[in-house]
Amino acid sequence: MPQDHLLRRIAALLDLSGVRQQLASYYSIMGRPSLDPELMIHMLLIGYLYGIRSERRLVEEVHLNLAYRWFCRLGLKGEVPERSSFSKTRHGRFRDSDALRLVFENVLQTCLRAGLVGGETFATDASVIEADARVMRRTEGKEPPDDWDDPGNVTRPVREYLDTLDKAAGIALTGERPSPPKALSLTDPSAALTSKGKSKIAFAYGTNYLIDTRAAIIVDVEASPARWTAEVAATRTMIDRTANRFGLTPRQLAADTAYGSGGNLAWLMERGIEPHIPVIDRAGQTGGMFTHRDFTFDRDHNRFICPGGKELAFTCARGNDILMYRARQADCERCPLKPRCTVGSFRALSVNVHEDVRRHVAGLSTTDAFRQSARLRRKVEMLFAHLKRNLNFRRLRLRGMTGARDECVLAATAQNLRKLVKLIGSSPPLLPAACA
């Protein structure tokens, strides 16, 4: 094993002492000895570090490759677990105990001690990963098949989906409630039908990253169905979890326009996070007609005043955080400005309930800090490119939301480990702090 080998450098920094304690209640002291949990973790990390997606091939590679044997502490004569035993342990004890999340957080803790996380500016984004489900095997409508009524006779992914039907995904806000899917996969119903992946139409999940922009360290990862509302909710889950477990709350959050809804911007501002997120502005799509900016809002009376001096009174609130205001038809008919205002019989305005927040965030787009965050946000996209090109993480092998979560957490752990040994290797003074 060369001294500069990737696995040797990772082994010097990887601490799995807490994994055995975390899994103690899942192992019996009777019967045949169970697989060593640390051996399982080491083998899984090898698979994700080197893009070995097949468990069968991973077992074969660990058996033959001396570097892999050294990393797994098997020596020349150590017995490699059978593929069936490996899969059963991974999909049982590890999933129930959330041990993979513990490994990810241990690696992140090492990055924190090494000074690789600044905590000033975070960036978030999601990338589509195709599910292990064929698009042909799907329902024709929104309703689940009748044979799903008996949970005892369905597969684990279907059972997981049925168990979560009545629960809200993440922490979705008003105006971001997902509409019922147009079709369900009969193989993996938690996956969403999308056209954003490599295939034209496919069932897929999204792997959501929350990174610190100083060194592109992934501070949290969350799997979600590949739809907008779930990805926004996953970001809020990651921000809250990072604050609770590590005390990290960024001053700024950089993201693309998909995260620029009024509700999400207001949620960030309430937590003292400045959103460096582009806000959709359709002022240039009115065909020369008056825009919202041409109307004056009277906050005391909750009304708008049009350029002609007439009142647009509040009429109703829609369920998607939209407030409706409309003028009197008689006022519009006699108004000389009507050709520049509306082609209908009266003018109506639809305003987001968080319009003040939207305008505040839109004003930030001219600042140097906003432009800097926009440049730093590209680091998330670079991580996704590395994930798919170098780690071969384009399609999931496990099904269901728990399977997608396990795979995304392992892939993010592998990327953090690679980044950690690369940066510490080029900065020797940080090494003692990281290993303390």
Side-chain angles (χ1 to χ4, degrees), residues 80-97:
V80 180
E82 296 180 356
R83 198 273 310 170
S84 58
S85 301
F86 182 90
S87 298
K88 186 174 182 180
T89 302
R90 175 186 183 180
H91 301 162
R93 300 183 180 96
F94 278 41
R95 179 169 294 161
D96 297 338
S97 64

Side-chain angles (χ1 to χ4, degrees), residues 260-262 265 279-280 352 354-363:
S261 66
L265 297 177
V279 179
I280 298 177
N352 191 283
H354 303 291
E355 188 63 26
D356 291 343
V357 175
R358 283 169 45 84
R359 293 189 179 185
H360 171 74
V361 175

Side-chain angles (χ1 to χ4, degrees), residues 288-308:
M289 298 290 188
F290 291 139
T291 67
H292 286 82
R293 298 174 183 175
D294 298 311
F295 293 76
T296 303
F297 183 59
D298 182 0
R299 193 176 300 276
D300 295 334
H301 298 89
N302 190 21
R303 63 179 182 176
F304 280 89
I305 304 300
C306 74

Side-chain angles (χ1 to χ4, degrees), residues 9 13 113-114 116 420-436:
R9 296 161 68 189
L13 300 172
R113 291 197 296 268
L116 301 180
L420 177 63
V421 298
K422 177 182 178 181
L423 295 179
I424 288 182
S426 60
S427 304
L430 296 179
L431 184 57
C435 297

Side-chain angles (χ1 to χ4, degrees), residues 292 295 312 315 324-327 332 341-342 346-350:
H292 286 82
F295 293 76
L312 279 77
T315 57
M324 296 300 301
Y325 297 81
R326 57 168 290 182
C332 290
C341 188
T342 180
F346 59 87
R347 179 60 191 261
L349 285 180
S350 58

